[in-house]
């Protein structure tokens, strides 16, 4: 069954284009190392919740937008090998492709796909 890495981050509005360029580079690296697809989504309707929400979880600031992203892998074994290769890839190093947002506030998780409609 497929495996998904999911990400939520708050990206400064002024760095949207820089984020897109970063995502295009890193997406190609993921694909070269076995991912099926990489999707980056710029927030449009992401409300602040009363108890919890994406904005609260990543401590979104007024001049930031929520980005919701995922990487789809064919299975966990491919993901484990591909993620290691991606992390080790020179094109993915922070000095070459710095994240244009605060990575300390990013949510990251790996998920086994259990239903697909």
């Amino acid at each position: 069954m497929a495996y998904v890495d999911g990400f939520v981050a708050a990206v400064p509005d002024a760095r949207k284009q820089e984020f897109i360029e970063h995502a295009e580079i890193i997406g190609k690296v993921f694909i070269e190392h076995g991912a099926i697809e990489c999707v980056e989504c710029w927030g449009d309707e992401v409300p602040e919740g009363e108890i919890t929400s994406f904005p609260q979880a990543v401590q979104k600031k007024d001049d930031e937008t929520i980005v919701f992203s995922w990487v789809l892998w064919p299975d966990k074994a491919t993901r484990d090998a591909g993620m290691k290769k991606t992390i080790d890839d020179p094109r993915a190093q922070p000095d070459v492709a710095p994240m244009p947002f605060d990575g300390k506030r990013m949510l990251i998780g790996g998920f086994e796909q259990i239903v697909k409609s």
Side-chain angles (χ1 to χ4, degrees), residues 7-115:
F7 311 90
V8 177
V11 178
D13 297 329
R15 299 183 81 183
K16 182 179 180 180
Q17 186 57 43
E18 188 179 343
F19 174 81
I20 292 169
E21 293 166 7
H22 169 82
E24 288 172 342
I25 292 168
I26 298 304
K28 287 177 186 174
V29 174
F30 277 126
I31 296 294
E32 287 178 23
H33 295 308
I36 297 169
E37 71 175 355
C38 298
V39 178
E40 304 286 348
C41 304
W42 191 259
D44 179 47
E45 292 184 26
V46 188
E48 184 81 31
E50 289 182 32
I51 297 173
T52 189
S53 65
F54 285 137
Q56 290 169 321
V58 296
Q59 300 173 0
K60 179 190 167 295
K61 298 175 184 169
D62 289 341
D63 65 342
E64 294 177 326
T65 296
I66 298 296
V67 171
F68 179 66
S69 311
W70 67 89
V71 179
L72 178 64
W73 303 89
D75 53 56
K76 188 167 188 323
T78 303
R79 180 266 190 182
D80 289 347
M83 186 61 80
K84 180 176 180 350
K85 290 176 185 175
T86 297
I87 290 169
D88 293 341
D89 193 297
R91 296 168 293 173
Q93 300 309 305
D95 58 328
V96 175
M99 292 188 296
F101 57 90
D102 182 358
K104 293 177 185 173
R105 294 186 284 138
M106 180 171 59
L107 300 177
I108 302 171
F111 303 86
E112 293 180 10
Q113 186 180 59
I114 57 172
V115 175

